[in-house]
Amino acid sequence: MEYFPLLELPEDLQAMVVERVARNSFQDLYRLRASSRSMKALAEMRRGVQFFYSYDEQDYGLSLIKHAADAGYERAVYTHAMTQAIFYGDAQYFRRIPRATVDRVGKLVRDAKWGWGLWHTDEFRQIKAMFTSTYVPSFYLCQCANVVDRQCLCLWHIDVTKDDNMCERCFWIKEISLFFRDFEPISLFRDTSNW
C-alpha cells in the first residue's frame, strides 16, 4: 500500500487536514499527533486554542500554542502573538510576523471553523470591550492614512476604513480588532466516528 506524503503539502493544507481530523474525533486527533512531530505541533496549536480561549486553562493552552509557534507554523505564530498582546499586553511577538503576510495568515486563523458550540471566556469579552472603547477610537482619529467616512466607528467596518498606508500602531489596532471581531475558539469536539 502506498502512503500519501502529508508532510510534503504546504503548511496551510497540513493545517486544514488537522482541522478536519480534529472535527472528526479525539481518537483521530491523537492518532494524527502520533504520526509525526510536525502533525503533533499543529494538533497542539489547535488544542492550545481550545484550552486557552474556551476552558480558561491559560497556562496550559498558551504553552501548546507556543510549542506550535516555535515549530514555525504561521497560524500558530499569529495566534501566539495575538494572545500575548491581548491578554498580557506584550506586543513583542508581532515582530515575528512579516507585515506582508499578516493579512493572509490572519484571515486563515480568523476564518477557521474551530468547532461546534463556540464560546469565549468572560475575560476575553471584558478585554474586547475595553479594547474597543479605548483603542478603536484612536484608530479612527489618527490621520496616518486616507480614511473612508463611516457612520459607525466600530469593529464592523475597521478592515475597510483606511488604506494600506497606515502607521504601525493603527495597523496592529486594526489587526487586533479583526481578531476580536472574527476569531472563535473551539470548545467542543463532535465524535462522528460511529455515524
Side-chain angles (χ1 to χ4, degrees):
M1 175 184 221
E2 205 172 314
Y3 290 98
F4 183 78
L6 185 62
L7 298 177
E8 292 179 17
L9 290 173
E11 180 185 325
D12 291 347
L13 291 178
Q14 289 180 26
M16 192 180 304
V17 168
V18 171
E19 289 171 12
R20 297 291 165 94
V21 169
R23 286 183 193 171
N24 199 25
S25 72
F26 277 125
Q27 292 170 333
D28 290 344
L29 180 62
Y30 282 106
R31 280 189 215 113
L32 182 66
R33 284 185 66 221
S35 68
S36 74
R37 189 175 290 178
S38 62
M39 287 295 116
K40 180 180 181 192
L42 278 171
E44 285 181 349
M45 186 272 197
R46 184 175 183 80
R47 291 177 62 236
V49 168
Q50 176 186 15
F51 280 101
F52 191 96
Y53 284 95
S54 296
Y55 298 148
D56 205 20
E57 296 285 337
Q58 292 183 346
D59 292 336
Y60 182 59
L62 188 61
S63 70
L64 292 174
I65 295 169
K66 184 177 183 333
H67 182 266
D70 290 344
Y73 289 100
E74 287 180 322
R75 290 180 184 197
V77 171
Y78 175 90
T79 304
H80 183 253
M82 286 295 163
T83 303
Q84 287 286 357
I86 290 168
F87 284 89
Y88 304 108
D90 190 353
Q92 71 171 331
Y93 295 95
F94 287 147
R95 285 182 254 144
R96 292 179 67 183
I97 310 169
R99 188 169 173 169
T101 65
V102 168
D103 285 338
R104 180 182 57 80
V105 175
K107 185 166 176 37
L108 288 171
V109 169
R110 293 186 309 270
D111 288 348
K113 301 303 178 208
W114 294 97
W116 298 271
L118 305 168
W119 295 288
H120 285 291
T121 62
D122 289 337
E123 183 180 9
F124 182 89
R125 288 192 294 275
Q126 290 167 356
I127 293 171
K128 177 182 178 180
M130 186 277 302
F131 182 87
T132 303
S133 65
T134 306
Y135 292 100
V136 172
S138 69
F139 172 85
Y140 288 105
L141 292 174
C142 183
Q143 298 298 313
C144 64
N146 293 329
V147 180
V148 176
D149 286 334
R150 293 283 179 204
Q151 296 291 342
C152 174
L153 303 181
C154 59
L155 296 182
W156 190 254
H157 300 289
I158 201 162
D159 54 336
V160 293
T161 301
K162 289 187 177 184
D163 62 23
D164 292 337
N165 297 323
M166 67 186 87
C167 66
E168 278 295 303
R169 184 172 189 272
C170 286
F171 177 81
W172 289 110
I173 288 174
K174 178 189 99 170
E175 197 59 33
I176 291 171
S177 298
L178 292 173
F179 189 84
F180 275 129
R181 186 186 78 186
D182 299 334
F183 181 75
E184 295 178 335
I186 185 170
S187 62
L188 178 68
F189 281 102
R190 182 169 67 177
D191 187 353
T192 58
S193 60
N194 296 327
W195 286 18

